[in-house]
Amino acid sequence: GAGVSQSPSNKVTEKGKDVELRCDPISGHTALYWYRQSLGQGLEFLIYFQGNSAPDKSGLPSDRFSAERTGGSVSTLTIQRTQQEDSAVYLCASSPGQDWPNSPLHFGNGTRLTVT
Amino acid sequence: AQSVAQPEDQVNVAEGNPLTVKCTYSVSGNPYLFWYVQYPNRGLQFLLKYITGDNLVKGSYGFEAEFNKSQTSFHLKKPSALVSDSALYFCAVRDISGGYQKVTFGTGTKLQVIP
């Protein structure tokens, strides 16, 4: 079946511009995560959505970052006034709501963001 | 707060030799532990998990991991390494205390299998 889909796969933007990154989770998965992977770094947690509950935004690095999830499915991560330090691979993952915490995360291939 | 440590940035092993990639964790409740692998320019793929039960868990591609509660470790192992195992490996922990689903990852270990 279809996996987690992220778009675009690559994005080059100028410093100061806004960008939107999209994630389509696996159908029926109620949990959705965003992570950031910088060169030489591990996975940095950004935000987590679970069903209709309030999202956990504790990982967002600044108020330039925001995310929403519409209809419990597609999610968009928005970065306003991009900075060069925002350059990274942004990974989205989803997980079934039932049978947690046994369920592993299913990752997309990521969006590589380059801020020039 | 939960945390994961992978003390080695890179592990080099000769093809055919056994390999170990180390991971230690810290959680307030019972740990739910996972290993993931990332091949170049790809997302992470699930390898194996420990929830409860036997301390030795088996996963994909011949990998296994040993859970040690007293040492708070969850090391990834394979009896005989293949060149195709060369990739970036991440350990992760999910702390479910309070019904929380946050998953914390380590910084990753690059495995290089030398022909």
Side-chain angles (χ1 to χ4, degrees):
Chain A
V4 176
S5 177
Q6 291 188 247
S7 61
S9 55
N10 282 283
K11 177 71 175 178
V12 180
T13 190
E14 293 180 353
K15 178 181 174 181
K17 300 284 189 182
D18 298 351
V19 295
E20 286 189 352
L21 312 181
R22 177 187 169 101
C23 173
D24 278 281
I26 293 173
S27 178
H29 281 193
T30 58
L32 187 147
Y33 304 74
W34 282 98
Y35 289 88
R36 179 168 70 175
Q37 184 177 22
S38 303
L39 187 63
Q41 303 293 318
L43 269 68
E44 176 187 6
F45 168 77
L46 297 178
I47 189 169
Y48 156 67
F49 297 89
Q50 171 57 52
N52 296 321
S53 302
D56 174 10
K57 304 179 182 180
S58 61
L60 295 178
S62 77
D63 59 8
R64 296 187 295 106
F65 287 72
S66 63
E68 62 177 20
R69 189 178 184 192
T70 54
S73 181
V74 172
S75 177
T76 302
L77 177 69
T78 301
I79 308 174
Q80 295 178 311
R81 305 181 302 282
T82 52
Q83 303 295 312
Q84 288 186 330
E85 60 262 30
D86 299 335
S87 296
V89 176
Y90 290 81
L91 292 167
C92 175
S94 69
S95 179
Q98 66 273 16
D99 195 34
W100 82 275
N102 298 332
S103 302
L105 303 187
H106 299 259
F107 281 86
N109 286 342
T111 294
R112 181 175 298 277
L113 175 65
T114 303
V115 182
T116 62
Chain B
Q2 60 196 46
S3 66
V4 176
Q6 293 182 244
E8 302 154 318
D9 290 337
Q10 181 159 336
V11 169
N12 296 322
V13 63
E15 186 176 24
N17 282 2
L19 69 88
T20 298
V21 182
K22 297 179 180 178
C23 171
T24 59
Y25 66 90
S26 174
V27 295
S28 56
N30 290 324
Y32 289 72
L33 297 157
F34 302 82
W35 276 101
Y36 291 82
V37 60
Q38 186 179 35
Y39 297 102
N41 301 314
R42 299 295 301 276
L44 277 72
Q45 298 177 29
F46 167 71
L47 268 183
L48 51 77
K49 65 183 179 183
Y50 172 82
I51 307 300
T52 60
D54 289 341
N55 290 340
L56 186 66
V57 295
K58 296 186 183 296
S60 307
Y61 313 121
F63 283 92
E64 55 192 27
E66 185 171 12
F67 171 68
N68 188 315
K69 187 173 183 178
S70 62
Q71 297 184 3
T72 62
S73 67
F74 188 56
H75 300 331
L76 182 70
K77 300 182 179 184
K78 187 173 183 181
S80 179
L82 300 173
V83 172
S84 57
D85 293 330
S86 298
L88 190 57
Y89 290 81
F90 289 93
C91 182
V93 64
R94 174 183 265 152
D95 185 351
I96 67 165
S97 57
Y100 199 46
Q101 282 210 47
K102 184 176 178 179
V103 181
T104 300
F105 285 80
T107 52
T109 298
K110 182 179 180 180
L111 174 66
Q112 190 74 36
V113 180
I114 304 163

